[in-house]
Amino acid sequence: MDKTDRARETFEREMVVHLDALYRAALGMTRDKTNAEDLVQDTFVRAFSFYGQYQGGTNGRAWLFRIMTNLYINGYRKKNREPERVSYDELEDFYLYNRLSDAQSRGIGAAPEAEVVNRVEADAIREAIDNLPDEYRDTVILADINEFAYQEISEMLEIPIGTVRSRLSRGRRLVQKAIWAYTNNNQR
Amino acid sequence: MPRKINRPAPSPMVDTPEVAPLEYNQCQAAVKRLTEYLSDELDAPETEAVQSHLSQCKGCFAKFHFEDTLLRTIRAKVEQVQAPATLRDKILGLISAPKI
């Protein structure tokens, strides 16, 4: 086995294992299966050609995500930029909790936690994330779905940590608002 | 019998009770840290301060617990999605090609 074969084998073992996580994030960012597949494919091709620069033993998942967010922000998003679809109204803290508590007190639902765990469907969550404006969506996907630290997200998206925090705070509220709207339209 | 022996006499200018605003401020201080608390981004003393408040305040505990459960639920449901097998094959094919 020559050096190139060994590199391929290590790449497959250390990098391709993160394929599902990258695909999910790409799907969330691009909101389109074909674009998500293209983005992930480009990410792996680029990662493989720069694999010599990757320092083994460091965080491979974060390295791949950095490549992917870079490709996405500088390529895919610019090409496919859409107008924002979510209103910028100020949203209260605990938006969904308050709505569900209110519904429960009116006798049309169970306790907020039980409602969320048992009744909020994957489709509602997908739609809630899909409908976030780009900058909030990226931050929510990286922080809440993939559990990257604010510092890592700040480097990936090239924004200050304070901006990561504020986008996440607002993004989470917008997700809750969308989940509530979806739940109301489909279940009640 | 007084609760505290050396407690200073309240100022005649201040007629609002002490406990209510203090409790409100504690809730407010905890809620201000909600985003980072859920992301595990607070340092140890701040995490401890939030947790100490949550152990004493039923209202905040229920809300924080709800937010945490919601996040876990969202993560678990999103994680059910897998990359298509064709994409995996395509990528493996590309990195196995002599030159990409």
Side-chain angles (χ1 to χ4, degrees), chain A residues 81-99:
Chain A
R81 186 140 205 138
E82 285 180 27
E84 280 150 3
R85 287 182 276 164
V86 181
S87 93
Y88 276 78
D89 303 344
E90 262 318 316
L91 293 175
E92 70 201 80
D93 290 308
F94 309 112
Y95 180 91
L96 187 57
Y97 179 89
N98 291 342
R99 302 283 92 69

Side-chain angles (χ1 to χ4, degrees), chain A residues 24 96 100 112-126 129 144-145 147 175-176 179 183, chain B residues 38 64-81:
Chain A
R24 282 191 289 268
L96 187 57
L100 292 170
E113 260 187 61
E115 283 280 310
V116 157
V117 173
N118 299 327
R119 298 186 61 172
V120 173
E121 297 164 19
D123 283 349
I125 292 164
R126 167 77 45 218
I129 295 175
D144 286 348
I145 310 295
E147 298 182 82
V175 165
Q176 294 194 5
I179 289 177
T183 310
Chain B
L38 293 173
F64 272 62
H65 201 261
F66 172 83
E67 297 283 327
D68 190 46
T69 306
L70 176 64
L71 269 188
R72 286 169 199 275
T73 305
I74 289 175
R75 203 174 295 140
K77 299 214 170 170
V78 171
E79 279 174 0
Q80 289 166 4
V81 177

Side-chain angles (χ1 to χ4, degrees), chain B residues 16-33:
Chain B
T16 47
E18 277 174 38
V19 177
L22 184 67
E23 201 170 283
Y24 172 71
N25 286 338
Q26 281 177 355
C27 293
Q28 212 182 24
V31 171
K32 222 173 124 185
R33 289 169 177 77

Side-chain angles (χ1 to χ4, degrees), chain A residues 8 19 21 33 36 42 45 53 66 72 78 102 113 122 126 134 163 166-167 177 182:
Chain A
R8 279 190 192 117
L19 175 64
K33 281 184 181 172
D42 288 353
V45 168
Q53 290 174 23
R66 256 202 299 279
Y72 167 65
K78 275 186 187 150
D102 183 47
E113 260 187 61
R126 167 77 45 218
D134 288 342
T163 310
S166 59
R167 285 185 185 176
K177 188 184 178 194
Y182 185 99

Side-chain angles (χ1 to χ4, degrees), chain A residues 5-72:
Chain A
D5 286 336
R6 270 202 302 277
R8 279 190 192 117
E9 214 179 85
T10 321
F11 184 83
E12 212 178 307
R13 200 175 51 240
E14 290 185 357
M15 299 294 159
V16 182
V17 71
H18 301 299
L19 175 64
D20 286 334
L22 260 87
Y23 176 74
R24 282 191 289 268
L27 198 57
M29 287 171 176
T30 63
R31 294 180 282 206
D32 178 271
K33 281 184 181 172
T34 311
N35 281 340
E37 288 192 31
D38 288 348
L39 177 59
V40 171
Q41 187 180 308
D42 288 353
T43 302
F44 277 104
V45 168
R46 181 169 283 220
F48 188 62
S49 36
F50 288 99
Y51 195 44
Q53 290 174 23
Y54 169 73
Q55 294 181 330
T58 57
N59 191 341
R61 186 169 153 271
W63 186 66
L64 284 169
F65 266 83
R66 256 202 299 279
I67 294 173
M68 188 168 84
T69 45
N70 190 273
L71 280 172
Y72 167 65

